[in-house]
Amino acid sequence: MKPAARIQSSIELVDEILKGIKPADTIITDYFKIRRYAGSKDRRAVNDQIYNILRNRAKLGWLSQKTDLDTTAENLVFMDCVLNDMDVNDLFNGEQYAPAKLTKEQAEALPVLAQLDLATAPDSVRLEYPDWMDDDLRISLGDDFENCLQALNAEAPLDLRINSLHPDCDKAQDLLNKQNIDTTTTEFSPLCLRSAKKVKLGGVQAYKDGIVDIQDEGSQLIALLSGAKGCDLVMDFCAGAGGKTLALGAEMGNKGHLYALDISSKRLYKMRRRLERAGVTNVVLHPIQNETDPWLKQFENRVDRLLIDAPCSGVGAWRRSPESRWKMTPELLDDLEGRQQRILQNAAHLVKLGGRMIYATCSLLKRENEDQIERFLNENKNFKLLPISQVWAETLTTPCPFEGDFMSMRPDQHQSDGFFCAVLERL
Ligand SMILES: C[S@@+](CC[C@H](N)C(=O)[O-])C[C@H]1O[C@@H](n2cnc3c(N)ncnc32)[C@H](O)[C@@H]1O
């Protein structure tokens, strides 16, 4: 593809992504599936530009206000090209497969764009977060506010979890290496291999054979801290498509019973193929209506480990889906907070005496994390919070980086996505 044709592809894709119907990566994959003429370099160039635009949405919005350009796909791509010193007069040339010639407004914007200094933009623009989250983010991130938000807007590495159930698990890194996938081990999860480069895993044998699966290091740690090893009855209450269920099943060595529940049967049943590939056989998939589903009654006071990987704002995963930050609203966040409270409150009775409830989110907001635990403990004197260093020492061999009660993984400090975890024991 000629450079101008790549720009035209970016415009078409951004236009589709702005509709907000499907996730960006799905839209990009589908787009290139039917455009076989695009080579891997073309795809990479377009992909990089799209993600650059998604990571700089607030900045491009601010520039569009200053230049009186509407935030259409054409204008966003145009401004991205200008910011990256591309020759827009050459690229926007109106030829076949290329973008239309520069409009009068775009041409007039060029000298204005050259003068604008993004460093003078408000924090929410510079650091790419919704303005309404300003107080919550400052309260939650404290002195790390700037560093953490910058890290949340950077490209994420690919984290893989070694499947300890597989007989070749010790060879995982070598097997990946043989397919030219360089990985490093990480500091906290003994099962994590990290690749700095994006890799399409579909054709990778170690992935197809279930020796590794995709899982961020922070998410791996939550499964390990759950301490499911040796337990008879473990429940993954918000199992989704099974990221943590797979890891819990491996920890249990396929012994005992692992119930994976979710209100979305569609998401839950997506797990089947992953379970098969990983050779996890002790899982029962069960969709529930909600946290008060009568089916749950049979498990009252019986569960050894109850993992609540609660629905949340996903702030900690912003670097993986940069566009998600603009989909959250104050109303949605209030609603999520209510749901988190209800799930904690209604599922807690399932835990047996001496059993543990593990509450986790991929959020960094205090109101979804520490505040939820504080509220729950105030209302439920039959639970106590275990210091995370104690739980870590029981379940992991790596040094615990946390001194307080909670695990709080952050991209700026631990190079993982943002994850929170608290472990409570039933008294
Ligand atoms: C953070 S996601 C789970 C991710 C998953 N555990 C993983 O590791 O891949 C939260 C899940 O909670 C589910 N959920 C929301 N409300 C729920 C409820 N009341 N009871 C059970 N699951 C619920 C959502 O459908 C969603 O799949």
Side-chain angles (χ1 to χ4, degrees), residues 219 236-244 261-264 267 288 290-291 309-311 339 343:
S219 173
D236 187 357
F237 204 87
C238 303
K244 294 181 189 65
L261 319 179
D262 203 284
I263 52 166
S264 161
R267 219 166 292 158
I288 51 173
N290 55 37
E291 60 284 351
D309 186 21
R339 273 210 239 181
I343 296 175

Side-chain angles (χ1 to χ4, degrees), residues 266-319:
K266 193 172 160 208
R267 219 166 292 158
L268 201 57
Y269 290 135
K270 264 194 188 164
M271 201 193 304
R272 279 188 180 139
R273 277 178 56 195
R274 295 179 80 187
L275 290 170
E276 246 170 61
R277 194 175 53 224
V280 177
T281 54
N282 64 338
V283 176
V284 177
L285 301 177
H286 188 90
I288 51 173
Q289 287 159 26
N290 55 37
E291 60 284 351
T292 59
D293 191 315
W295 176 85
L296 292 164
K297 189 129 182 66
Q298 60 187 305
F299 295 103
E300 207 154 57
N301 299 315
R302 283 184 51 203
V303 176
D304 292 297
R305 296 289 184 269
L306 173 70
L307 171 60
I308 297 179
D309 186 21
C312 71
S313 63
V315 168
W318 275 358
R319 57 184 197 159

Side-chain angles (χ1 to χ4, degrees), residues 162 185-192 217 220-221 224 395-398:
I162 300 173
T185 53
T186 56
E187 207 178 335
F188 307 111
S189 166
L191 298 174
C192 188
E217 185 179 26
Q220 297 181 24
L221 289 170
L224 292 169
T395 53
L396 282 145
T397 47
T398 52

Side-chain angles (χ1 to χ4, degrees), residues 227-412:
K229 194 178 260 174
C231 289
D232 284 333
L233 184 50
V234 177
M235 201 173 257
D236 187 357
F237 204 87
C238 303
K244 294 181 189 65
T245 315
L246 291 166
L248 291 169
E251 273 305 287
M252 294 170 78
N254 273 340
K255 301 203 179 78
H257 298 91
L258 172 53
Y259 284 87
L261 319 179
D262 203 284
I263 52 166
S264 161
S265 52
K266 193 172 160 208
R267 219 166 292 158
L268 201 57
Y269 290 135
K270 264 194 188 164
M271 201 193 304
R272 279 188 180 139
R273 277 178 56 195
R274 295 179 80 187
L275 290 170
E276 246 170 61
R277 194 175 53 224
V280 177
T281 54
N282 64 338
V283 176
V284 177
L285 301 177
H286 188 90
I288 51 173
Q289 287 159 26
N290 55 37
E291 60 284 351
T292 59
D293 191 315
W295 176 85
L296 292 164
K297 189 129 182 66
Q298 60 187 305
F299 295 103
E300 207 154 57
N301 299 315
R302 283 184 51 203
V303 176
D304 292 297
R305 296 289 184 269
L306 173 70
L307 171 60
I308 297 179
D309 186 21
C312 71
S313 63
V315 168
W318 275 358
R319 57 184 197 159
R320 297 210 183 265
S321 55
E323 76 274 28
S324 67
R325 67 194 76 194
W326 308 116
K327 292 184 184 157
M328 191 46 54
T329 63
E331 295 74 27
L332 270 176
L333 184 55
D334 285 346
D335 179 63
L336 284 164
E337 213 178 308
R339 273 210 239 181
Q340 292 156 359
Q341 269 172 44
R342 287 195 299 278
I343 296 175
L344 270 169
Q345 196 60 42
N346 287 295
H349 69 100
L350 302 172
V351 182
K352 73 176 192 187
L353 286 179
R356 290 181 184 180
M357 179 161 77
I358 300 94
Y359 176 77
T361 69
C362 60
S363 171
L364 292 171
L365 299 184
K366 191 167 166 280
R367 59 191 274 199
E368 296 184 272
N369 296 339
E370 290 89 342
D371 292 356
Q372 292 289 21
I373 296 301
E374 194 184 321
R375 186 182 294 113
F376 176 83
L377 287 169
N378 280 338
E379 290 168 9
N380 296 274
K381 300 294 176 202
N382 57 342
F383 276 87
K384 77 166 181 195
L385 183 60
L386 299 177
I388 206 69
S389 55
Q390 177 196 321
V391 181
W392 193 290
E394 285 170 16
T395 53
L396 282 145
T397 47
T398 52
C400 175
F402 305 105
E403 279 170 8
D405 289 325
F406 309 110
M407 178 191 99
S408 176
M409 296 290 283
R410 277 144 92 133
D412 52 326

